[in-house]
Amino acid sequence: MKIETSKPNIMLMNTAFVVFLSIFVHLLHRQFNFLDGYLLLQGITNLSGTLFIFLNILFTIPIILLAITLWLARSNHPLQELFMTLTLTFGSISIIAGGDGLTEYHFSIFMVVAMIASFQRIKYIIVSTVIFAVHHLSGYFLFPQLLCGTEEYSFALLMIHAIFLVMTAVSTSLVILSRRRVEARMAEETLKAQQQLQLLLREINEESVHLKDLSNQIAVDSSASAESSLSITNTLSSFQQNAENEATSLKQSIYKNEASINELSVIHERTENVTLIAKQSLERASLGKQKVTAVTHQMSIITDTVSSIKQLIEMLEMQSKEISSSLTVVHRISEQTKLLALNASIEAARAGEAGKGFSVVASEIRNLASGTQESVVNMDNVLEGIQHQIEHVAKKMQSGMKEIYKGNEFIRESEHAFDSIYTTISTLEHDINQISSSTRDMVSQTDETLTLFSEISQMNEHSLKTVSIITDSAKQQHIATQSLGQVITQLNDVTQHLNRLTDQIQSD
């Protein structure tokens, strides 16, 4: 994979970053004594002599390799990827040495391997892995302090590092191989796609020719369609005008029918009111008839009662006359008794001393006769007054009976009149009910007729709208057929341009 200089060289930036990180680690540990306390606890001391010289050599190698890499990158030299690999590898080795061989800095190896894997070159991974393996083996035996920080580091732990390094390299290589197989498969599919594209272009070329023939045929048909759509538009316009006139006439008829329905509704309402009034009048006439019947019954009772009273008064008058006759007889008897007592007194006076007792009895009888006569006179006077009152009451009763008879006659006439009124109102109510039912049926029928007219009007309006839509569609179709010719011309131009493109693609 070649790196294009026109694009940001990410790998070059990563390489420079690793070198910068190496320099930074050396400065921390050598100038700022970073982690000296921890190093003393681990038994790691400062380097001197030959080890210090090797440390400086390891510090310088990545810087030199980075300079060579930058020089190769200017001309996009094929070896720049190899020198980047070497720079990254020795940069990690320099980080480990500058970090006093601490285990934590060994993780930079895996970072570097991951960066090198982006080249998609297994040989670069092998080169880097071999360098790291040589570095670990030679470093463990020659300068373990630069590798592990101490001479007492376990060889078994070092082998564990090596095993994981090899496993990382192998797995990364397998990933690269898998990607290559995928790329090869994609290349095959691309080749097949190109072949299919060639076939497709040939088919497009053939279809474009056929499309040109069809466009010419469509041009002829569109011309005929334009003439037909113009004729249809004219016919529909005439039909639309006639339909609008009929719709106007239908609306006028509906308005007139609505006016008639309103008048019938008013008549029906008035008929309903008259029916209600007739029912109320019939109810009142029935109530009056009932009251007149009740009054007639009461007058009959009153007449019978007054007749009974009249009879009783007549009987009382007859009895008073009989009493008066009896009092006359009593008066005569008292006169005779008084006369007899007077005679008895005279005879007693003649008898002398022997007739004194009888004279007393005759005197008492005379007194009794006188008292009786006075009582009879008083009773006769009272009875005479009673007779005068009875005669007066009898006259009043006679006059009252005449008025009662007249009242009964008037009540009977009123009863006949109420019967006639009740019959007339009943007949009138029946007639009004028939009229109301007829008007109700007429209103219902006219409502149905109005509903039918409304439905016809709506259908007519819907038909008119449909005709209008069809007319507009016909006009639009006419316009579309006119513009279709232009589209066909443009289609022919596009077809010719497509033929030129296909020819050009096939030649390429």
Side-chain angles (χ1 to χ4, degrees), residues 231-483:
S231 177
I232 292 171
T233 302
N234 294 330
T235 303
L236 288 175
S237 297
S238 177
F239 179 76
Q240 183 179 6
Q241 184 64 34
N242 294 329
E244 289 177 352
N245 294 331
E246 291 179 358
T248 303
S249 301
L250 182 60
K251 287 181 178 180
Q252 291 177 356
S253 300
I254 290 174
Y255 292 151
K256 292 180 181 178
N257 195 12
E258 287 179 351
S260 300
I261 289 173
N262 293 329
E263 292 178 357
L264 283 174
S265 297
V266 172
I267 294 172
H268 179 66
E269 291 177 358
R270 292 180 178 176
T271 305
E272 290 290 337
N273 294 331
V274 172
T275 303
L276 182 60
I277 294 172
K279 288 181 179 180
Q280 294 176 354
S281 299
L282 183 63
E283 292 175 356
R284 292 175 181 175
S286 177
L287 183 61
K289 181 180 178 182
Q290 293 176 0
K291 290 183 178 180
V292 169
T293 302
V295 170
T296 303
H297 180 67
Q298 293 295 327
M299 288 300 295
S300 298
I301 295 173
I302 292 171
T303 301
D304 294 337
T305 303
V306 172
S307 297
S308 299
I309 294 172
K310 181 181 178 183
Q311 292 176 1
L312 291 174
I313 290 172
E314 288 177 353
M315 291 176 64
L316 182 60
E317 185 178 7
M318 292 175 62
Q319 290 177 359
S320 64
K321 288 180 179 179
E322 290 177 357
I323 291 170
S324 179
S325 299
S326 298
L327 288 175
T328 302
V329 174
V330 172
H331 183 70
R332 289 177 183 174
I333 292 172
S334 63
E335 287 289 335
Q336 291 177 1
T337 303
K338 186 179 180 179
L339 182 60
L340 288 175
L342 180 60
N343 292 327
S345 295
I346 294 172
E347 289 297 329
R350 286 179 182 175
E353 198 62 39
K356 288 183 179 180
F358 186 73
S359 175
V360 173
V361 172
S363 177
E364 291 297 329
I365 290 171
R366 189 173 56 252
N367 293 331
L368 180 62
S370 296
T372 300
Q373 191 176 7
E374 290 177 359
S375 296
V376 168
V377 172
N378 292 330
M379 289 177 66
D380 190 29
N381 292 328
V382 172
L383 186 61
E384 186 178 0
I386 291 171
Q387 286 179 351
H388 287 300
Q389 293 293 328
I390 290 172
E391 289 177 358
H392 181 71
V393 171
K395 290 180 181 179
K396 293 291 183 181
M397 288 295 297
Q398 188 70 26
S399 177
M401 285 298 297
K402 290 181 180 179
E403 296 295 330
I404 288 172
Y405 289 145
K406 290 181 181 180
N408 286 332
E409 186 66 24
F410 178 74
I411 289 172
R412 282 193 292 273
E413 291 178 357
S414 298
E415 186 175 6
H416 290 304
F418 270 107
D419 289 336
S420 177
I421 291 171
Y422 183 79
T423 303
T424 303
I425 292 176
S426 297
T427 306
L428 180 62
E429 184 193 15
H430 182 265
D431 294 339
I432 291 174
N433 285 328
Q434 289 182 347
I435 294 171
S436 178
S437 178
S438 299
T439 54
R440 188 184 300 109
D441 293 337
M442 290 178 65
V443 171
S444 178
Q445 291 176 0
T446 50
D447 286 337
E448 293 177 356
T449 304
L450 180 61
T451 303
L452 180 61
F453 274 118
S454 299
E455 291 177 355
I456 293 172
S457 177
Q458 291 178 358
M459 292 174 64
N460 194 7
E461 290 179 356
H462 180 68
S463 300
L464 188 60
K465 290 180 180 178
T466 304
V467 171
S468 177
I469 293 171
I470 294 172
T471 304
D472 294 337
S473 300
K475 291 179 180 179
Q476 292 177 0
Q477 183 181 1
H478 180 66
I479 295 171
T481 51
Q482 289 179 348
S483 62

Side-chain angles (χ1 to χ4, degrees), residues 1 77-86 89 112-113 115-132 169 173 176 180:
M1 179 180 178
H77 197 277
L79 294 177
Q80 63 175 332
E81 292 182 356
L82 177 59
F83 275 89
M84 283 184 186
T85 301
L86 296 174
T89 303
V112 167
V113 172
M115 291 181 180
I116 295 171
S118 63
F119 291 131
Q120 299 297 316
R121 296 288 188 270
I122 297 176
K123 59 182 180 179
Y124 294 155
I125 295 175
I126 294 173
V127 169
S128 178
T129 303
V130 171
I131 293 173
F132 281 123
S173 301
I176 293 173
R180 285 182 179 178

